[in-house]
Short mmCIF file of all heavy atoms in Angstrom, two decimals:
data_model
loop_
_atom_site.label_atom_id
_atom_site.label_comp_id
_atom_site.label_asym_id
_atom_site.label_seq_id
_atom_site.Cartn_x
_atom_site.Cartn_y
_atom_site.Cartn_z
N SER B 48 54.84 10.49 35.24
CA SER B 48 55.19 9.93 33.93
C SER B 48 55.38 11.09 32.95
O SER B 48 54.80 12.17 33.12
CB SER B 48 54.10 8.97 33.43
OG SER B 48 52.85 9.63 33.35
N PHE B 49 56.16 10.84 31.92
CA PHE B 49 56.62 11.93 31.04
C PHE B 49 56.71 11.40 29.63
O PHE B 49 57.25 10.32 29.36
CB PHE B 49 58.00 12.36 31.54
CG PHE B 49 58.56 13.61 30.94
CD1 PHE B 49 58.25 14.84 31.50
CD2 PHE B 49 59.42 13.57 29.86
CE1 PHE B 49 58.78 16.01 30.99
CE2 PHE B 49 59.96 14.73 29.34
CZ PHE B 49 59.64 15.95 29.90
N TYR B 50 56.15 12.18 28.70
CA TYR B 50 56.19 11.78 27.28
C TYR B 50 56.16 13.01 26.42
O TYR B 50 55.42 13.96 26.73
CB TYR B 50 55.00 10.87 26.95
CG TYR B 50 54.86 10.57 25.48
CD1 TYR B 50 55.79 9.78 24.82
CD2 TYR B 50 53.80 11.10 24.72
CE1 TYR B 50 55.69 9.52 23.46
CE2 TYR B 50 53.70 10.85 23.38
CZ TYR B 50 54.63 10.05 22.74
OH TYR B 50 54.52 9.79 21.40
N ASN B 51 56.93 13.02 25.38
CA ASN B 51 56.91 14.12 24.42
C ASN B 51 57.16 15.46 25.10
O ASN B 51 56.48 16.45 24.83
CB ASN B 51 55.57 14.12 23.68
CG ASN B 51 55.63 14.86 22.36
OD1 ASN B 51 56.70 15.01 21.76
ND2 ASN B 51 54.49 15.36 21.92
N ASN B 52 58.12 15.44 26.03
CA ASN B 52 58.55 16.65 26.73
C ASN B 52 57.50 17.28 27.63
O ASN B 52 57.56 18.48 27.91
CB ASN B 52 59.07 17.70 25.74
CG ASN B 52 60.45 17.34 25.23
OD1 ASN B 52 61.29 16.86 25.98
ND2 ASN B 52 60.67 17.56 23.95
N GLU B 53 56.57 16.47 28.07
CA GLU B 53 55.64 17.01 29.05
C GLU B 53 55.16 15.90 29.99
O GLU B 53 55.21 14.72 29.65
CB GLU B 53 54.46 17.72 28.39
CG GLU B 53 53.61 16.83 27.49
CD GLU B 53 52.50 17.63 26.83
OE1 GLU B 53 52.65 18.85 26.64
OE2 GLU B 53 51.48 17.02 26.51
N ILE B 54 54.69 16.34 31.14
CA ILE B 54 54.18 15.39 32.12
C ILE B 54 52.86 14.82 31.62
O ILE B 54 51.97 15.54 31.19
CB ILE B 54 53.99 16.09 33.48
CG1 ILE B 54 55.35 16.43 34.09
CG2 ILE B 54 53.18 15.22 34.42
CD1 ILE B 54 55.27 17.25 35.37
N SER B 55 52.78 13.48 31.65
CA SER B 55 51.54 12.80 31.28
C SER B 55 50.60 12.65 32.46
O SER B 55 49.40 12.83 32.36
CB SER B 55 51.84 11.41 30.71
OG SER B 55 52.64 11.50 29.56
N GLU B 56 51.19 12.28 33.58
CA GLU B 56 50.39 11.99 34.77
C GLU B 56 51.29 12.19 35.99
O GLU B 56 52.50 11.97 35.91
CB GLU B 56 49.92 10.53 34.71
CG GLU B 56 48.80 10.17 35.63
CD GLU B 56 48.29 8.75 35.37
OE1 GLU B 56 48.95 7.98 34.69
OE2 GLU B 56 47.21 8.43 35.90
N LYS B 57 50.70 12.62 37.09
CA LYS B 57 51.48 12.72 38.32
C LYS B 57 50.61 12.33 39.51
O LYS B 57 49.39 12.45 39.46
CB LYS B 57 52.04 14.13 38.50
CG LYS B 57 50.99 15.22 38.52
CD LYS B 57 51.66 16.59 38.62
CE LYS B 57 50.61 17.69 38.65
NZ LYS B 57 51.21 19.04 38.75
N SER B 58 51.28 11.89 40.55
CA SER B 58 50.56 11.47 41.74
C SER B 58 50.47 12.64 42.72
O SER B 58 51.08 13.69 42.51
CB SER B 58 51.26 10.29 42.39
OG SER B 58 52.48 10.71 42.98
N GLU B 59 49.76 12.39 43.81
CA GLU B 59 49.63 13.43 44.85
C GLU B 59 50.97 13.73 45.51
O GLU B 59 51.17 14.81 46.04
CB GLU B 59 48.63 12.95 45.90
CG GLU B 59 47.20 12.89 45.40
CD GLU B 59 46.25 12.37 46.46
OE1 GLU B 59 46.71 11.96 47.55
OE2 GLU B 59 45.04 12.37 46.21
N ILE B 60 51.86 12.77 45.47
CA ILE B 60 53.18 12.98 46.07
C ILE B 60 53.94 14.05 45.30
O ILE B 60 54.69 14.84 45.88
CB ILE B 60 54.00 11.67 46.06
CG1 ILE B 60 53.26 10.55 46.79
CG2 ILE B 60 55.37 11.88 46.66
CD1 ILE B 60 53.86 9.20 46.57
N PHE B 61 53.74 14.09 44.02
CA PHE B 61 54.49 14.97 43.12
C PHE B 61 53.92 16.37 43.23
O PHE B 61 53.14 16.82 42.38
CB PHE B 61 54.41 14.43 41.70
CG PHE B 61 55.41 15.05 40.75
CD1 PHE B 61 56.68 14.52 40.63
CD2 PHE B 61 55.07 16.15 39.98
CE1 PHE B 61 57.60 15.08 39.74
CE2 PHE B 61 55.99 16.73 39.11
CZ PHE B 61 57.25 16.18 38.98
N ASP B 62 54.30 17.08 44.30
CA ASP B 62 53.79 18.43 44.51
C ASP B 62 54.74 19.47 43.90
O ASP B 62 55.63 19.12 43.12
CB ASP B 62 53.56 18.68 46.01
CG ASP B 62 54.84 18.57 46.83
OD1 ASP B 62 55.94 18.72 46.25
OD2 ASP B 62 54.74 18.33 48.04
N ASP B 63 54.54 20.72 44.26
CA ASP B 63 55.30 21.81 43.63
C ASP B 63 56.80 21.74 43.94
O ASP B 63 57.58 22.47 43.30
CB ASP B 63 54.76 23.16 44.11
CG ASP B 63 53.37 23.42 43.56
OD1 ASP B 63 52.98 22.71 42.60
OD2 ASP B 63 52.67 24.29 44.10
N GLN B 64 57.18 20.95 44.90
CA GLN B 64 58.60 20.81 45.21
C GLN B 64 59.33 19.94 44.19
O GLN B 64 60.56 19.94 44.15
CB GLN B 64 58.78 20.21 46.61
CG GLN B 64 58.33 21.11 47.74
CD GLN B 64 59.10 22.40 47.76
OE1 GLN B 64 60.33 22.44 47.69
NE2 GLN B 64 58.38 23.51 47.84
N PHE B 65 58.57 19.19 43.42
CA PHE B 65 59.16 18.26 42.46
C PHE B 65 59.04 18.82 41.05
O PHE B 65 58.05 19.48 40.70
CB PHE B 65 58.44 16.91 42.50
CG PHE B 65 58.66 16.11 43.75
CD1 PHE B 65 57.85 16.31 44.87
CD2 PHE B 65 59.66 15.15 43.83
CE1 PHE B 65 58.05 15.57 46.03
CE2 PHE B 65 59.86 14.41 44.99
CZ PHE B 65 59.05 14.62 46.08
N SER B 66 60.03 18.52 40.23
CA SER B 66 59.92 18.83 38.81
C SER B 66 60.75 17.81 38.04
O SER B 66 61.66 17.18 38.59
CB SER B 66 60.40 20.25 38.51
OG SER B 66 61.76 20.40 38.83
N VAL B 67 60.38 17.62 36.78
CA VAL B 67 61.12 16.72 35.92
C VAL B 67 61.49 17.46 34.65
O VAL B 67 60.82 18.40 34.23
CB VAL B 67 60.34 15.43 35.56
CG1 VAL B 67 60.20 14.52 36.76
CG2 VAL B 67 58.97 15.76 34.98
N GLU B 68 62.56 16.96 34.03
CA GLU B 68 63.05 17.61 32.83
C GLU B 68 63.81 16.60 31.99
O GLU B 68 64.41 15.66 32.51
CB GLU B 68 63.99 18.76 33.23
CG GLU B 68 64.34 19.70 32.13
CD GLU B 68 65.25 20.83 32.62
OE1 GLU B 68 66.06 20.59 33.52
OE2 GLU B 68 65.14 21.93 32.08
N ARG B 69 63.73 16.81 30.68
CA ARG B 69 64.56 16.04 29.77
C ARG B 69 65.43 17.07 29.05
O ARG B 69 65.06 17.56 27.99
CB ARG B 69 63.70 15.26 28.81
CG ARG B 69 64.46 14.29 27.94
CD ARG B 69 63.62 13.08 27.61
NE ARG B 69 64.14 12.31 26.49
CZ ARG B 69 65.10 11.40 26.61
NH1 ARG B 69 65.63 11.15 27.77
NH2 ARG B 69 65.50 10.72 25.55
N PRO B 70 66.55 17.41 29.66
CA PRO B 70 67.34 18.55 29.16
C PRO B 70 68.03 18.29 27.83
O PRO B 70 68.36 19.23 27.12
CB PRO B 70 68.37 18.75 30.28
CG PRO B 70 68.48 17.42 30.96
CD PRO B 70 67.12 16.81 30.87
N ASP B 71 68.22 17.03 27.48
CA ASP B 71 68.85 16.70 26.21
C ASP B 71 68.27 15.38 25.73
O ASP B 71 67.29 14.90 26.28
CB ASP B 71 70.38 16.64 26.37
CG ASP B 71 70.79 15.70 27.50
OD1 ASP B 71 70.20 14.60 27.60
OD2 ASP B 71 71.68 16.06 28.28
N GLY B 72 68.88 14.79 24.73
CA GLY B 72 68.30 13.58 24.16
C GLY B 72 68.51 12.32 24.95
O GLY B 72 67.98 11.28 24.59
N SER B 73 69.26 12.42 26.07
CA SER B 73 69.53 11.18 26.79
C SER B 73 69.16 11.23 28.27
O SER B 73 68.78 10.20 28.83
CB SER B 73 71.01 10.81 26.64
OG SER B 73 71.83 11.82 27.16
N ASN B 74 69.25 12.39 28.90
CA ASN B 74 69.02 12.44 30.33
C ASN B 74 67.57 12.75 30.69
O ASN B 74 66.87 13.45 29.95
CB ASN B 74 69.92 13.51 30.97
CG ASN B 74 71.37 13.08 30.96
OD1 ASN B 74 71.78 12.26 31.74
ND2 ASN B 74 72.14 13.66 30.05
N PHE B 75 67.16 12.25 31.84
CA PHE B 75 65.83 12.53 32.39
C PHE B 75 66.06 12.78 33.87
O PHE B 75 66.62 11.94 34.56
CB PHE B 75 64.92 11.33 32.15
CG PHE B 75 63.53 11.47 32.68
CD1 PHE B 75 62.75 12.58 32.40
CD2 PHE B 75 62.96 10.46 33.45
CE1 PHE B 75 61.45 12.70 32.89
CE2 PHE B 75 61.66 10.56 33.93
CZ PHE B 75 60.92 11.68 33.66
N THR B 76 65.69 13.97 34.35
CA THR B 76 66.05 14.34 35.72
C THR B 76 64.81 14.57 36.58
O THR B 76 63.75 14.98 36.09
CB THR B 76 66.91 15.61 35.74
OG1 THR B 76 66.17 16.69 35.18
CG2 THR B 76 68.19 15.41 34.95
N LEU B 77 65.00 14.33 37.86
CA LEU B 77 64.00 14.65 38.88
C LEU B 77 64.65 15.63 39.84
O LEU B 77 65.71 15.35 40.39
CB LEU B 77 63.58 13.38 39.63
CG LEU B 77 62.64 13.59 40.83
CD1 LEU B 77 61.25 14.03 40.36
CD2 LEU B 77 62.52 12.31 41.67
N LYS B 78 64.02 16.79 40.01
CA LYS B 78 64.54 17.79 40.92
C LYS B 78 63.60 17.93 42.11
O LYS B 78 62.37 18.00 41.94
CB LYS B 78 64.67 19.15 40.22
CG LYS B 78 65.24 20.24 41.13
CD LYS B 78 65.08 21.63 40.54
CE LYS B 78 65.91 21.87 39.34
NZ LYS B 78 65.85 23.28 38.88
N ILE B 79 64.19 17.96 43.28
CA ILE B 79 63.43 18.27 44.49
C ILE B 79 63.98 19.59 45.00
O ILE B 79 65.16 19.69 45.33
CB ILE B 79 63.56 17.17 45.57
CG1 ILE B 79 63.25 15.79 44.98
CG2 ILE B 79 62.60 17.46 46.73
CD1 ILE B 79 63.50 14.63 45.95
N ARG B 80 63.13 20.61 45.02
CA ARG B 80 63.62 21.98 45.27
C ARG B 80 64.10 22.19 46.69
O ARG B 80 65.15 22.75 46.92
CB ARG B 80 62.51 22.99 44.97
CG ARG B 80 62.46 23.41 43.53
CD ARG B 80 61.45 24.52 43.32
NE ARG B 80 60.25 24.03 42.69
CZ ARG B 80 60.16 23.62 41.43
NH1 ARG B 80 61.21 23.62 40.67
NH2 ARG B 80 59.02 23.19 40.93
N SER B 81 63.34 21.76 47.64
CA SER B 81 63.68 21.99 49.05
C SER B 81 63.37 20.70 49.80
O SER B 81 62.23 20.44 50.17
CB SER B 81 62.86 23.16 49.60
OG SER B 81 63.13 23.36 50.98
N THR B 82 64.39 19.90 49.98
CA THR B 82 64.15 18.55 50.49
C THR B 82 63.68 18.56 51.94
O THR B 82 64.05 19.42 52.75
CB THR B 82 65.44 17.70 50.40
OG1 THR B 82 66.53 18.44 50.97
CG2 THR B 82 65.76 17.36 48.96
N LYS B 83 62.83 17.58 52.23
CA LYS B 83 62.35 17.37 53.60
C LYS B 83 62.86 16.02 54.08
O LYS B 83 63.25 15.16 53.28
CB LYS B 83 60.82 17.36 53.64
CG LYS B 83 60.15 18.54 52.96
CD LYS B 83 58.65 18.45 53.18
CE LYS B 83 57.87 19.40 52.32
NZ LYS B 83 57.79 19.00 50.92
N LEU B 84 62.80 15.82 55.38
CA LEU B 84 63.24 14.54 55.92
C LEU B 84 62.48 13.37 55.30
O LEU B 84 63.06 12.32 55.01
CB LEU B 84 63.05 14.51 57.45
CG LEU B 84 63.88 15.49 58.26
CD1 LEU B 84 63.52 15.41 59.73
CD2 LEU B 84 65.37 15.26 58.06
N GLU B 85 61.18 13.59 55.07
CA GLU B 85 60.34 12.52 54.53
C GLU B 85 60.57 12.22 53.05
O GLU B 85 59.97 11.30 52.50
CB GLU B 85 58.86 12.81 54.77
CG GLU B 85 58.39 14.14 54.26
CD GLU B 85 58.41 15.23 55.33
OE1 GLU B 85 59.31 15.23 56.19
OE2 GLU B 85 57.51 16.09 55.29
N ASP B 86 61.45 12.97 52.42
CA ASP B 86 61.83 12.67 51.03
C ASP B 86 62.89 11.58 50.97
O ASP B 86 63.23 11.10 49.89
CB ASP B 86 62.35 13.92 50.32
CG ASP B 86 61.27 14.97 50.12
OD1 ASP B 86 60.09 14.58 49.93
OD2 ASP B 86 61.60 16.17 50.16
N SER B 87 63.42 11.20 52.11
CA SER B 87 64.42 10.12 52.15
C SER B 87 63.78 8.85 51.63
O SER B 87 62.77 8.38 52.16
CB SER B 87 64.92 9.90 53.58
OG SER B 87 65.65 11.01 54.03
N ALA B 88 64.36 8.28 50.58
CA ALA B 88 63.78 7.11 49.92
C ALA B 88 64.71 6.66 48.80
O ALA B 88 65.68 7.34 48.46
CB ALA B 88 62.41 7.44 49.32
N MET B 89 64.38 5.52 48.22
CA MET B 89 65.00 5.11 46.95
C MET B 89 64.15 5.70 45.83
O MET B 89 62.91 5.59 45.87
CB MET B 89 65.02 3.58 46.81
CG MET B 89 66.08 2.89 47.62
SD MET B 89 67.73 3.12 46.97
CE MET B 89 67.70 2.10 45.51
#
Side-chain angles (χ1 to χ4, degrees):
Chain B
S48 58
F49 191 87
Y50 172 68
N51 201 24
N52 285 320
E53 61 183 26
I54 290 174
S55 299
E56 197 173 14
K57 58 183 180 180
S58 71
E59 291 178 354
I60 303 168
F61 194 88
D62 61 22
D63 291 344
Q64 292 300 311
F65 291 86
S66 63
V67 289
E68 193 178 33
R69 187 148 164 84
D71 54 42
S73 60
N74 289 285
F75 179 51
T76 62
L77 174 70
K78 182 193 291 187
I79 309 174
R80 273 186 255 290
S81 177
T82 50
K83 308 185 192 75
L84 296 176
E85 54 265 35
D86 293 328
S87 293
M89 283 288 288

